[in-house]
Amino acid sequence: MDGVALLEQEVRELIRRRGVDPLRDPESLDGVVREALVAYDERSLRGHVPPLADPAAAAKTVLDAVAGFGPLQPYLDDPEVEEIWINEPSKVFVARNGRSELTTTVLTADQVRDLVERMLKTTGRRIDFSSPFVDAMLPDGSRLHVVIPDITRTHWAVNIRKFVVRATHLEDLVALGTLSPQAAQFLEACVVAGLNILVAGGTQAGKTTLLNCLAAAIPPRERVISCEEVFELKIPLPDWVPMQTRQSNLEGTGEIRLRDLVKEALRMRPSRIIVGEVRAEECLDLLIALNSGLPGMCTIHANSAREALTKMCTLPLLAGENIGSRFVVPTVAGAVDIVVHAQLLDGGRRRVTEICAVPGRIEGDVVELEQLFALHNDRLVRTKGYPPHPERFERVGYDLARLLAPRFEGVA
């Protein structure tokens, strides 16, 4: 056994004897580690234990193992790492700036299982043969997703998506090059005016960050209720109630679905409703809420603004046989006002590639779209479309013609 392993063993024994909770009492844990390190150094000078090449690094490794997530903790602490995933114990990947890389970290199958169990310990969620999938939030806000055999072939598949806060307001997205100044000002006006906004894009396109920035533009006097599968949104408003889903218990009862949260939110006197991501039949409940005059926003996986609208017209059909396209299509046309599409481009750049308006018209069974902004020569530029409900902009003091007047701006 090497020196670091011996030090960790001694720290764990001291913790057990003194009844220290590593998660709830970090100060006592630091004291235990320092005490154990001093005692270890004294014994190493006598040749009783192998010396530590770097005592400070050894102490950090022990702290990570005892109170953190062991070999994964350095990646969780690294602000440049956006995501961590394990395909098998010997293949641990991370993503930096949208690009994936295979790390030198090699685990064992037991280590992977122990890490997952430790991550789930404080969440109240579980994973086993009857529930082979789990979504949970780690203490730092990162999102954990795990799948186990026999759903996977051999190994546990673990994914940790860190919420790297690089932008909290629309102006931050302008600074990052995700939005043009004019597009940001227009989207802020849309939020203040109470238009319903659909944020679309692929995986890792920055949808949640964009939704957070849009939500930050909501007037502070409004009451916001958000519904998510796992807590990811961070909305800087005083009157905000976040809710998340819950999986069923061991008896198969107690599950709270996303559509249950949407229905419940309507009973909580919301000024706005925000759904982190629509994936299935909860889309119907959200559309009904938006169609009743309650402003809202949500995200959806889609490759374009057009495909996002098509998906919004399809997902409600999952709610039951009595729901048909003759009801859903006009409901989508009347409920969605603005579609913002984001994309992860080559080199890891995240950009808004188009902003479209939904004027409320239907051609056949297709909801019409009008493009307001589009990516052209790597710049988000104004096009010819016009948003619906101009009276709402005027009511809150925005000059829509001035907002959408052609401008000659620098790089978007």
Side-chain angles (χ1 to χ4, degrees):
M1 187 179 293
D2 65 15
V4 176
L6 282 170
L7 180 62
E8 180 186 335
Q9 190 179 71
E10 291 172 8
V11 168
R12 289 186 184 278
E13 177 62 22
L14 284 173
I15 289 172
R16 185 188 64 78
R17 270 193 270 147
R18 298 180 184 179
V20 175
D21 188 330
L23 297 179
R24 297 182 181 178
D25 195 356
E27 291 184 5
S28 296
L29 176 63
D30 286 341
V32 168
V33 172
R34 285 196 300 269
E35 180 184 331
L37 188 60
V38 169
Y40 187 95
D41 280 343
E42 290 176 355
R43 296 204 316 282
S44 70
L45 290 173
R46 302 190 192 100
H48 296 163
V49 291
L52 299 171
D54 187 341
K60 176 66 167 63
T61 300
V62 171
L63 280 170
D64 289 347
V66 174
F69 298 121
L72 300 185
Q73 193 62 46
Y75 304 123
L76 291 166
D77 294 337
D78 188 342
E80 295 299 315
V81 172
E82 302 167 342
E83 198 160 355
I84 308 158
W85 62 97
I86 304 171
N87 292 346
E88 57 184 78
S90 62
K91 292 182 179 178
V92 179
F93 292 81
V94 298
R96 287 185 174 90
N97 299 316
R99 293 183 173 182
S100 63
E101 56 186 73
L102 177 62
T103 70
T104 57
T105 300
V106 176
L107 307 173
T108 66
D110 287 340
Q111 279 182 305
V112 173
R113 285 193 290 271
D114 289 344
L115 284 169
V116 170
E117 288 173 6
R118 197 183 310 172
M119 291 173 182
L120 292 176
K121 187 176 180 181
T122 59
T123 68
R125 302 197 175 198
R126 73 180 202 284
I127 191 164
D128 51 37
F129 186 78
S130 63
S131 300
F133 306 95
V134 70
D135 270 304
M137 188 181 72
L138 301 184
D140 67 350
S142 300
R143 179 173 177 172
L144 172 71
H145 180 74
V146 185
V147 188
I148 64 174
D150 59 350
I151 302 302
T152 55
R153 183 186 292 273
T154 306
H155 303 287
W156 287 35
V158 181
N159 182 280
I160 303 170
R161 181 174 296 180
K162 292 171 61 181
F163 190 74
V164 182
V165 182
R166 292 201 174 101
T168 56
H169 294 78
L170 291 169
E171 310 92 79
D172 300 329
L173 295 179
V174 173
L176 291 170
T178 301
L179 275 174
S180 68
Q182 184 180 17
Q185 291 166 14
F186 169 72
L187 288 176
E188 180 178 353
C190 290
V191 174
V192 175
L195 270 63
N196 298 325
I197 301 175
L198 176 62
V199 178
T203 302
Q204 283 292 302
K207 299 186 298 298
T208 302
T209 298
L210 182 51
L211 185 61
N212 268 318
C213 293
L214 289 169
I218 295 174
R221 289 183 178 273
E222 295 195 18
R223 175 170 169 79
V224 176
I225 312 294
S226 65
C227 310
E228 305 173 82
E229 287 192 350
V230 175
F231 291 130
E232 286 186 290
L233 294 173
K234 300 181 187 297
I235 301 175
L237 293 173
D239 195 357
W240 167 47
V241 179
M243 297 191 293
Q244 71 172 359
T245 60
R246 186 177 70 193
Q247 66 182 132
S248 57
N249 57 27
L250 291 171
E251 289 75 36
T253 61
E255 180 185 15
I256 304 296
R257 301 170 301 167
L258 196 54
R259 70 179 309 187
D260 298 324
L261 297 182
V262 175
K263 291 176 181 177
E264 200 63 34
L266 299 180
R267 301 185 178 101
M268 300 171 67
R269 197 186 176 276
S271 303
R272 306 255 179 163
I273 184 169
I274 297 178
V275 177
E277 183 178 340
V278 289
R279 298 172 185 255
E281 63 270 13
E282 68 272 358
C283 186
L284 174 66
D285 304 279
L286 177 62
L287 285 174
I288 292 172
L290 299 181
N291 202 249
S292 65
L294 176 65
M297 294 182 273
C298 70
T299 71
I300 192 169
H301 273 86
N303 293 323
S304 66
R306 164 55 60 196
E307 289 189 21
L309 269 190
T310 301
K311 198 168 181 179
M312 288 292 285
C313 292
T314 304
L315 291 178
L317 303 181
L318 301 173
E321 295 180 0
N322 59 331
I323 306 298
S325 59
R326 290 184 62 184
F327 165 76
V328 172
V329 172
T331 302
V332 171
V336 180
D337 299 316
I338 300 292
V339 184
V340 184
H341 184 262
Q343 191 172 341
L344 179 63
L345 303 178
D346 293 339
R349 296 177 301 152
R350 293 177 174 86
R351 303 293 294 273
V352 170
T353 56
E354 60 178 334
I355 301 174
C356 297
V358 183
R361 298 187 298 268
I362 302 170
E363 184 67 35
D365 284 333
V366 178
V367 179
E368 288 191 12
L369 271 179
E370 289 187 11
Q371 199 172 64
L372 304 171
F373 293 86
L375 199 63
H376 181 67
N377 292 332
D378 206 34
R379 294 178 58 217
L380 191 63
V381 297
R382 171 80 172 101
T383 52
K384 295 182 178 180
Y386 212 71
H389 312 299
E391 73 285 353
R392 297 188 190 177
F393 291 90
E394 184 178 352
R395 190 185 308 144
V396 292
Y398 284 98
D399 185 339
L400 192 54
R402 186 176 179 182
L403 274 175
L404 295 176
R407 301 183 191 178
F408 298 96
E409 298 173 340
V411 177

